[in-house]
Amino acid sequence: MTLSMTLGMTIGVKRSLHMMWGELLGVGLVAIFAVIGVATIMLKYPSVFSALKYLGGSYLIYLGIQMWRSKGKLIISNSPSSESTMKPIQLASQGFVTAIANPKGWVFMISLLPPFINPTQALTPQLSVLVAIILITEFSCLLMYASGGQTLRLFLQKSNNVRLLNKIAGSLMFFVGIWLATG
């Protein structure tokens, strides 16, 4: 989301779309691999699944605390950036790598998706619906972040505004982490 907002601020929404399709491909793969791996663990080793759930919730709580403690700085240059000269495939690759290499995305998918899988039913239809919902939601959010990036550029350049945004997002992550660990 941060990448989408930053690209929206620096290169515009239209060029950011190239990054978005790469990120959507990565998010879809992360969701599929997370569900398949966790579903296997959940069926064979329920105690390992519980440990993963607690670790995932703890990690989200940790991220929430880190966001609360952040300095609230947003650094965006007014000069032309390297992103403005990147080719569409480079932007897509950047989005894909961001999604695949993001530990928060893995933890989120591993923690959130398995409770929605019914082990007595076929995995493919359930996974297809979940991934479709995730990708539609992800694309909508990426588009909103990129669109809002241009509008929010001036607002977020003030340190206190970024700090407030971090506190709100950090609080949400903290409470989702508690919900995941205890739910």
Side-chain angles (χ1 to χ4, degrees), residues 32-104:
I32 290 168
F33 291 145
V35 169
I36 290 171
V38 172
T40 302
I41 291 171
M42 188 169 62
L43 291 173
K44 290 185 179 181
Y45 310 103
S47 60
V48 173
F49 173 70
S50 293
L52 284 174
K53 183 176 81 164
Y54 294 128
L55 285 172
S58 299
Y59 185 64
L60 289 175
I61 292 168
Y62 167 77
L63 290 174
I65 292 169
Q66 292 304 312
M67 289 182 82
W68 257 88
R69 299 173 78 197
S70 72
K71 300 286 186 218
K73 293 182 182 176
L74 182 68
I75 301 171
I76 297 175
S77 173
N78 287 326
S79 62
S81 65
S82 61
E83 283 93 0
S84 62
T85 59
M86 291 178 81
K87 295 178 182 168
I89 194 70
Q90 292 172 309
L91 289 167
S93 297
Q94 185 179 21
F96 180 78
V97 169
T98 299
I100 294 294
N102 183 358
K104 290 181 282 190

Side-chain angles (χ1 to χ4, degrees), residues 148-167:
Q150 291 173 321
T151 306
L152 292 174
R153 182 178 180 151
L154 294 173
F155 176 75
L156 291 177
Q157 284 180 326
K158 296 179 181 174
S159 179
N160 289 337
N161 293 335
V162 174
R163 190 173 290 127
L164 174 64
L165 187 64
N166 283 343
K167 289 192 184 303

